[in-house]
Amino acid sequence: EPEVTQTPSHQVTQMGQEVILRCVPISNHLYFYWYRQILGQKVEFLVSFYNNEISEKSEIFDDQFSVERPDGSNFTLKIRSTKLEDSAMYFCASSYSEETQYFGPGTRLLVL
Amino acid sequence: AQSVTQLGSHVSVSEGALVLLRCNYSSSVPPYLFWYVQYPNQGLQLLLKYTTGATLVKGINGFEAEFKKSETSFHLTKPSAHMSDAAEYFCAVTLRTGANNLFFGTGTRLTVIP
């Protein structure tokens, strides 16, 4: 069964450094998303992406964040200058229609 | 605006007992409704969803949920708990049209006692 994959599974970085989180969505899906889950809190929406552009973003998704689909398979989330409060589990999701989203296993980001 | 309330951050049941995890939602338009499960150190797995049609929906692992519009609820049930059901369960909603980002509840951690 096709699934969403994410790399790396864990990332440790120093405050102020740039990180890129990578996702490979399910191949025929058209909609792509990033969510995050701070430890002990609920999953929060960051951004959605469709037809090579951002379709929706939350208040969390400020100028420090960007997304890209550099080729036909990868979907990336870049944080330009990480802060301590960016430490979280980041989930990528994809969907074929505007209905059911399938999630990857997540990348746990720790900012020191 | 959409929101999801899950009553009970922790629920404990005995193996073989009924599982009931509560979810109430608030939405300006009829939403799509979902339950996701998160096993320790894993991602979110779709358990079941309600979009249209029959209000009682069945999912994987013997779980089911019933959409009750009058109560704005989408409670998750399983007749008989198994040890492998121990996990965190998240209820989520999304709009039927336009922005389709998921709004999650705070989650309910299910413990199954042998």
Side-chain angles (χ1 to χ4, degrees), chain A residues 33 35 42 45 99-101, chain B residues 34 36 49 100-102:
Chain A
Y33 314 83
Y35 292 82
K42 65 175 158 182
F45 168 75
E99 188 183 289
T100 306
Q101 297 176 30
Chain B
F34 304 84
Y36 284 87
K49 63 181 180 183
N100 59 330
N101 44 291
L102 286 166

Side-chain angles (χ1 to χ4, degrees), chain A residues 36 44-46 57-63 65 86:
Chain A
R36 78 171 186 191
E44 301 173 289
F45 168 75
L46 291 178
K57 61 183 180 179
S58 71
E59 295 174 349
I60 303 166
F61 194 86
D62 61 22
D63 292 343
F65 292 88
D86 293 329

Side-chain angles (χ1 to χ4, degrees), chain B residues 19-35:
Chain B
V19 175
L20 171 60
L21 305 183
R22 299 178 186 275
C23 172
N24 288 88
Y25 69 90
S26 170
S27 176
S28 53
V29 297
Y32 291 144
L33 295 156
F34 304 84
W35 276 98

Side-chain angles (χ1 to χ4, degrees), chain A residues 31 33 35 37 40-45 48 55-56 89 91 95 97-106 108, chain B residues 4 32 34 36 38 41-44 46 49 51 90 94-107:
Chain A
Y31 299 82
Y33 314 83
Y35 292 82
Q37 184 182 30
Q41 298 185 25
K42 65 175 158 182
V43 179
E44 301 173 289
F45 168 75
S48 59
S55 49
E56 180 89 7
M89 179 75 95
F91 292 107
S95 64
S97 67
E98 293 178 309
E99 188 183 289
T100 306
Q101 297 176 30
Y102 295 88
F103 284 76
R108 185 170 295 283
Chain B
V4 178
Y32 291 144
F34 304 84
Y36 284 87
Q38 185 179 31
N41 301 312
Q42 294 187 30
L44 297 164
L46 180 68
K49 63 181 180 183
T51 54
F90 292 93
T94 187
L95 293 179
R96 290 174 174 270
T97 58
N100 59 330
N101 44 291
L102 286 166
F103 293 86
F104 283 85
T106 50

Side-chain angles (χ1 to χ4, degrees), chain A residues 43-85:
Chain A
V43 179
E44 301 173 289
F45 168 75
L46 291 178
V47 65
S48 59
F49 193 85
Y50 170 71
N51 202 25
N52 286 318
E53 62 182 25
I54 291 174
S55 49
E56 180 89 7
K57 61 183 180 179
S58 71
E59 295 174 349
I60 303 166
F61 194 86
D62 61 22
D63 292 343
Q64 293 300 313
F65 292 88
S66 62
V67 289
E68 196 175 40
R69 188 156 162 82
D71 52 41
S73 59
N74 290 284
F75 180 52
T76 62
L77 174 69
K78 182 193 290 186
I79 309 175
R80 287 191 185 83
S81 177
T82 50
K83 308 184 192 79
L84 296 177
E85 54 265 36

Side-chain angles (χ1 to χ4, degrees), chain B residues 75-90:
Chain B
H75 301 330
L76 181 71
T77 60
K78 181 173 180 177
S80 176
H82 191 274
M83 295 298 294
S84 60
D85 294 328
E88 184 114 24
Y89 292 80
F90 292 93

